[in-house]
Amino acid sequence: MGPELTGSSGEEPSQAPGPPSHGSVLKRRTGWKGPRTGQAGPGTPQAGPPAGRVRRLVTPLGILATVTAAFAYVGTVDPNEPGHYPVCPLLKITGAFCPGCGGLRSAHAFIHGDLGAAFSANAVATTGYFLFAAVWVLWLVRAWRGQPLRTVLAPAWWWSIGALLLIFTVVRNLPFGSALAP
């Protein structure tokens, strides 16, 4: 019999901690339960994906479904025809284009495969579609593997993104930047 030590309260005996066995490390890292005992036959239920994996994939797949539905709607209902979508409040009040102006027209052109028209309607939004796709694939792969999505950007990156959006907004409202206007 191995050495017995008292627990932290001094009442219950506990086993001295030792190195973990290979099976426990494998189980902890992968969720593997060990070899099956018995043959898999027609009446034997087959093991499906672990419930934890399905739960981890629900959010990224739900986001994909929502974005796909939104793009399908914008692809079906043309934003170039007046009356289908509300007018940008900043454009209506000031006459200036915001960074999002032309985003729906960009999405409509993107869905129909016209990347030139998508970039001319809103270059930032079109770039955002590709960026979203890349981050979503990364998110899905990491969720499949059981790893969290950690995209931590330093404050300098956030300030840079804000500065680029500000420059884009100002330039698209100036006469020489009319190519960036929707």
Side-chain angles (χ1 to χ4, degrees):
M1 187 141 156
E4 290 192 33
L5 303 174
T6 57
S8 60
S9 63
E11 298 160 355
E12 298 179 1
S14 65
Q15 197 74 14
S21 68
H22 292 292
S24 65
V25 172
L26 184 64
K27 186 190 303 183
R28 188 177 62 232
R29 288 188 181 167
T30 64
W32 187 62
K33 305 283 190 244
R36 288 190 204 185
T37 57
Q39 299 283 334
T44 307
Q46 297 292 322
R53 179 175 291 162
V54 172
R55 189 175 49 225
R56 289 189 311 259
L57 294 176
V58 165
T59 304
L61 293 176
I63 295 293
L64 178 65
T66 304
V67 169
T68 302
F71 267 80
Y73 180 79
V74 172
T76 305
V77 180
D78 191 1
N80 294 308
E81 296 179 16
H84 291 294
Y85 298 98
V87 178
C88 172
L90 183 70
L91 180 63
K92 187 173 186 176
I93 294 170
T94 66
F97 297 117
C98 76
C101 281
L104 289 174
R105 285 174 278 204
S106 172
H108 182 77
F110 187 82
I111 289 295
H112 290 278
D114 190 358
L115 290 181
F119 271 106
S120 70
N122 191 323
V124 170
T126 307
T127 305
Y129 306 148
F130 289 110
L131 182 65
F132 170 79
V135 170
W136 183 84
V137 168
L138 176 68
W139 185 16
L140 185 68
V141 167
R142 292 185 67 85
W144 180 267
R145 293 179 180 168
Q147 301 167 339
L149 176 66
R150 291 196 177 127
T151 53
V152 179
L153 295 177
W157 281 100
W158 289 112
W159 282 103
S160 299
I161 292 168
L164 285 174
L165 285 175
L166 180 64
I167 291 168
F168 174 74
T169 303
V170 170
V171 169
R172 77 190 310 208
N173 284 294
L174 296 175
F176 65 85
S178 61
L180 294 175

